């Protein structure tokens, strides 16, 4: 393979080994060879000067929408995985709610192969839980896993039928993969476009109550208890869902959960003025919910941060609020938004954040990345935690620009992203 | 004229009463007073808006509001065009933003918009320099209806401050309710709502209103009742079991009104479902101001058109005579 790579002069933050100190990282044959203050570059090694930068295991996002096939005007596997490395992500899990959905081995194989061809972030396909994501008949999960699927989900929609959810949590155990659930009781959300609360009342918009999410989480937690299956709750937004997760964790159930960067900071107030950029499902909630999910993440009741990167074309968001699609473009702002929501106010250390965005996802999903331990794949991110930048959606690598953060000044700049020892992203103007 | 900031405190558009000050709302009502008289003349026309072009853009069916706007516009001498959604480019898939740009390209002065989506009027107003008047957007606001309700209440009591007004019925789906709540509170009235909890927004208290579960209690409390239309669709969507039961439990009947300590004034934005939310004896009775509401609708809309076109509230009387 390529020459050894020596990253020196930086501060290494790797919570998987409890590391937070100046150190060099040596990479040989795409894997971590050594990390330490005295680690020298062998002859012929390529060197990267990381002076002033922080070096951590690459970020892992278990929830992105790449839109290909069928939605290439919003995003492609190529544009999405380039956006990922620009955001510091070395691994992304692609949701199967494409058109057609990823419910066959061939489709899983396509996403995997297309992802590899881009040579940006690793792209791991999630298979549909039910055929056509219709919530009726289980997909051939064994075949999907054989083709490279790392999990199953009907995300975009919930698995509404309790019987099907039970069978999924049972059947997936053979393959040791999680069921990723978009927790929403559709009977409670007809026509809902934002959080049910004071802002929806004033704006005359139909609401999505917290109970629609928390009720489904409660049911699913009980089904995990019944079956022993690995339930992963997507994008937790409601404080009552946190209570259900806490109950599950206290009983030691195989239940994990994620929260998005936007739910860690933004509230429904952002919707005022009918701002379609703030239209997302689950919706932005109220301050009490933001505090609850933030606290749950700090305490480990919510395990990981995942973006729910949901790109949409400009025209689709430039519509009446009711008609605009749900979703926030997240990959390129995630790290910085989390810095602002968690590290800057002191809720979490930088090391804690790296754990929730890299080590913890690897841990709960059984990946060999998310660490700088010797022998691990050299998936690494170099960044300047204290450097601010202004969000300019026109500069996104994503094909879409749908973010409520345009013009925001955020801390934390991704400078270089390395996958398997190969630089896949480098910030412009990098010294 | 669009670049002039009228003295009324109205901006470029009238989207809702939530964002207006009490002072501005009062100025609109005061401006409506002199305009009332125009509709009583044999020749109901003054040249206040001569040369102005106005598009009435109705994406939802409407009879009363559309006609009321059209009369107001015509009596002020404007040139008007009506566009209904059916039979327009909208059914051919044109987006609202393209509709807006096309209207703009035709250099119109004002747009009156009725649309099924909350926020549609704001959306249009943000994208074109013409004055935009919201004639009802989804379940958000219907500000001219709110204003005509305020004017009618003021006509009845001589004031609004200190009055108790209860909005009865399908509050959750009602743009009229929201405009009434905001407008009445800004003029110092106390506002309550009453209806089955399935038709009351869960966060309604955040708007500073109290909730009555029983219509009898609401009638005991209120000086005026604004009775909302109960749409048949609500029964089909499962919000209430039947219209018959709704009438039994929440209908404003003569028998219920008679038990009130004062002569409660009854408003209804129309169109009425007689025998559902309101009984005929009430609608046609001495406490009803439902037809004066309709008359006031034209005057209020004239006032809004005049003010948005740059007219000053204190000069309305002269403007009416063609002197300003």
């Amino acid at each position: 393979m390529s020459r050894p790579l020596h990253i020196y002069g930086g501060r290494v933050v790797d919570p998987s080994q409890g590391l937070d100190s100046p150190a060099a990282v040596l990479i040989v044959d795409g894997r971590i060879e050594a990390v330490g203050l005295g680690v020298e570059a062998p002859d012929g090694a390529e060197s990267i000067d990381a002076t002033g930068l922080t070096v951590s295991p690459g970020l892992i996002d278990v929830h992105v929408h790449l839109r290909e096939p069928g939605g290439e005007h919003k995003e492609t596997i190529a544009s999405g995985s380039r956006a990922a490395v620009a955001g510091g992500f070395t691994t992304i899990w692609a949701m199967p709610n494409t058109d057609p959905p990823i419910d066959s081995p061939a489709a899983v194989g396509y996403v995997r192969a297309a992802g590899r061809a881009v040579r940006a972030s690793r792209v791991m396909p999630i298979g549909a839980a039910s055929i056509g994501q219709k919530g009726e008949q289980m997909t051939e999960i064994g075949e999907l896993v054989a083709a490279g699927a790392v999990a199953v989900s009907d995300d975009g929609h919930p698995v509404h039928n309790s019987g099907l959810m039970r069978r999924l949590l049972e059947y997936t155990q053979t393959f040791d993969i999680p069921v990723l659930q978009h927790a929403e009781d559709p009977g409670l959300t007809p026509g809902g476009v934002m959080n049910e609360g004071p802002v929806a009342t004033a704006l005359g918009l139909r609401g999505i109550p917290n109970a629609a999410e928390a009720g489904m989480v409660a049911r699913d937690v009980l089904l995990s208890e019944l079956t022993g299956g690995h339930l992963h709750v997507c994008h937790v937004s409601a404080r009552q869902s946190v209570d259900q997760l806490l109950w599950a964790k206290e009983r030691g159930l195989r239940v994990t959960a994620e929260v998005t960067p936007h739910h860690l900071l933004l509230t429904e107030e952002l919707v005022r003025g009918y701002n379609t950029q703030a239209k997302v499902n689950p919706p932005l909630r109220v301050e009490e919910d933001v505090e609850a999910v933030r606290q749950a993440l700090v305490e480990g009741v919510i395990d990981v941060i995942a973006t729910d990167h949901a790109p949409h074309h400009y025209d689709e968001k430039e519509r009446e609020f009711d008609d605009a699609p749900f979703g926030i473009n997240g990959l390129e702002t995630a790290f910085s938004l989390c810095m602002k929501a968690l590290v800057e106010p002191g809720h979490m250390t930088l090391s804690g954040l790296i754990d929730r965005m890299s080590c913890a996802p690897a841990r709960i999903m059984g990946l060999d990345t998310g660490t700088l331990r010797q022998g691990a794949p050299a998936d690494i991110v170099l960044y300047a935690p204290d450097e601010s930048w202004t969000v300019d959606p026109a500069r996104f690598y994503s094909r879409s620009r749908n973010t409520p953060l345009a013009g925001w000044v955020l801390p934390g700049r991704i400078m270089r992203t390395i996958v398997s020892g190969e630089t896949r992203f480098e910030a412009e103007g990098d010294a | 004229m669009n670049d002039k900031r009228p003295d009324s405190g109205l901006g470029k558009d009238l989207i809702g009463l939530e964002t207006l000050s009490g002072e501005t709302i009062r100025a609109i009502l005061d401006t409506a007073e002199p305009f009332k008289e125009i509709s009583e003349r044999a020749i109901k026309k003054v040249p206040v808006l001569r040369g102005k072009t106005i598009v009435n853009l109705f994406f939802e069916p409407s009879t009363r509001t559309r006609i009321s706007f059209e009369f107001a516009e015509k009596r002020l001498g404007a040139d008007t065009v009506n566009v209904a959604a059916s039979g327009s480019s909208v059914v051919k898939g044109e987006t609202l933003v393209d509709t807006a740009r096309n209207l703009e390209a035709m250099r119109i002065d004002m747009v009156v918009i009725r649309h099924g989506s909350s926020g549609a009027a704001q959306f249009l107003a943000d994208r074109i320099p013409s004055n935009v008047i919201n004639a009802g957007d989804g379940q958000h606001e219907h500000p001219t209806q709110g204003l005509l309700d305020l004017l009618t209440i003021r006509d009845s009591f001589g004031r609004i401050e200190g009055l108790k007004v209860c909005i009865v019925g399908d509050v959750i789906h009602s743009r009229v309710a929201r405009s009434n709540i905001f407008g009445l509170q800004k003029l110092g009235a106390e506002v309550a709502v009453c209806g089955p909890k399935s038709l009351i927004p869960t966060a309604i208290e955040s708007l500073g209103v109290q909730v009555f579960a029983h219509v009898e209690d609401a009638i005991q409390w209120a000086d005026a009742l604004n009775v909302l239309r109960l749409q048949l669709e609500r029964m089909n969507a499962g919000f209430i079991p039947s219209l018959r039961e709704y009438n039994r439990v929440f209908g404003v009947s003569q028998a219920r009104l008679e038990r009130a300590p004062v002569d409660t004034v009854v408003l209804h934005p129309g169109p009425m479902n007689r025998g559902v939310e309101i009984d005929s004896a009430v609608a046609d009775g001495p406490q009803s101001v439902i037809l004066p509401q309709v008359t006031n609708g034209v005057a209020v809309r004239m006032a809004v058109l005049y003010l948005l076109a740059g007219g000053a509230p204190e000069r309305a009387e002269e403007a009416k005579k063609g002197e300003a």
Side-chain angles (χ1 to χ4, degrees), chain A residues 338-406:
Chain A
C338 291
M339 285 292 294
K340 186 174 176 68
L342 300 169
V343 180
E344 220 176 53
H347 299 300
M348 211 175 227
T349 61
L350 178 64
S351 182
L353 177 62
I354 294 299
D355 180 70
R356 297 297 189 258
M357 294 188 83
S358 176
C359 314
R363 202 160 55 230
I364 65 169
M365 299 306 184
L367 306 177
D368 59 358
T369 52
T371 178
L372 300 180
R373 276 208 185 84
Q374 188 182 13
D379 287 10
I380 301 174
V381 61
L382 276 63
Y383 54 101
D386 301 321
E387 196 173 314
S388 315
W389 59 291
T390 304
V391 178
D392 176 7
R395 299 180 60 136
F396 280 180
Y397 285 81
S398 168
R399 294 198 74 168
S400 292
R401 323 243 170 281
N402 54 308
T403 173
L405 305 175

Side-chain angles (χ1 to χ4, degrees), chain A residues 133-397:
Chain A
Q133 291 197 306
K134 291 195 175 111
E136 290 160 11
Q137 196 185 342
M138 203 188 288
T139 51
E140 292 175 312
I141 292 173
E143 298 281 304
L144 301 185
V145 170
V150 289
V152 290
S153 181
D154 274 354
D155 184 66
H157 309 282
V159 176
H160 183 212
N161 182 307
S162 307
L164 175 63
M165 191 63 182
R166 173 193 178 152
R167 298 303 172 215
L168 285 166
L169 286 166
E170 289 168 339
Y171 192 74
T172 49
Q173 290 178 52
T174 302
F175 312 100
D176 200 21
I177 59 165
V179 179
L180 317 186
Q181 170 73 313
H182 168 121
E184 176 183 343
D185 182 340
L188 292 174
T189 61
V193 291
M194 70 168 296
N195 183 47
E196 180 169 323
V199 177
T201 299
L203 294 181
L205 292 172
R206 275 174 288 251
I208 298 174
N210 282 14
E213 177 181 290
M216 196 60 108
V217 174
R219 181 203 72 174
D220 291 341
V221 158
L222 292 171
L223 292 176
S224 171
E225 184 188 39
L226 176 67
T227 61
H230 181 181
L231 168 71
H232 178 76
V233 182
C234 295
H235 41 54
V236 174
S237 68
R239 57 190 185 278
Q240 295 86 346
S241 304
V242 171
D243 297 336
Q244 306 307 321
L245 293 170
L246 184 62
W247 187 90
K249 296 266 175 180
E250 282 170 355
R251 274 154 191 77
L253 304 183
R254 283 189 77 193
V255 173
T256 57
E258 70 191 33
V259 59
T260 71
H262 46 270
H263 288 113
L264 288 167
L265 187 68
L266 311 179
T267 69
E268 63 169 15
E269 290 297 324
L270 220 55
V271 175
R272 283 197 195 274
Y274 301 95
N275 178 9
T276 58
Q277 301 297 352
K279 181 176 174 182
V280 63
N281 189 18
L284 300 177
R285 305 281 187 187
V286 299
E287 194 56 44
E288 265 182 289
D289 294 299
V290 170
E291 280 166 23
V293 296
R294 202 157 56 199
Q295 190 60 25
L297 181 74
V298 169
E299 291 168 0
V301 175
I302 293 174
D303 302 82
V304 302
I305 295 164
T307 63
D308 191 12
H309 175 75
H312 289 293
H313 192 267
Y314 172 82
D315 286 342
E316 296 166 319
K317 282 285 193 181
E318 183 73 355
R319 302 216 51 182
E320 297 89 317
F321 197 88
D322 281 336
D323 298 335
F326 292 103
I328 291 177
N329 194 308
L331 282 169
E332 291 167 77
T333 53
F335 177 69
S336 297
L337 190 54
C338 291
M339 285 292 294
K340 186 174 176 68
L342 300 169
V343 180
E344 220 176 53
H347 299 300
M348 211 175 227
T349 61
L350 178 64
S351 182
L353 177 62
I354 294 299
D355 180 70
R356 297 297 189 258
M357 294 188 83
S358 176
C359 314
R363 202 160 55 230
I364 65 169
M365 299 306 184
L367 306 177
D368 59 358
T369 52
T371 178
L372 300 180
R373 276 208 185 84
Q374 188 182 13
D379 287 10
I380 301 174
V381 61
L382 276 63
Y383 54 101
D386 301 321
E387 196 173 314
S388 315
W389 59 291
T390 304
V391 178
D392 176 7
R395 299 180 60 136
F396 280 180
Y397 285 81

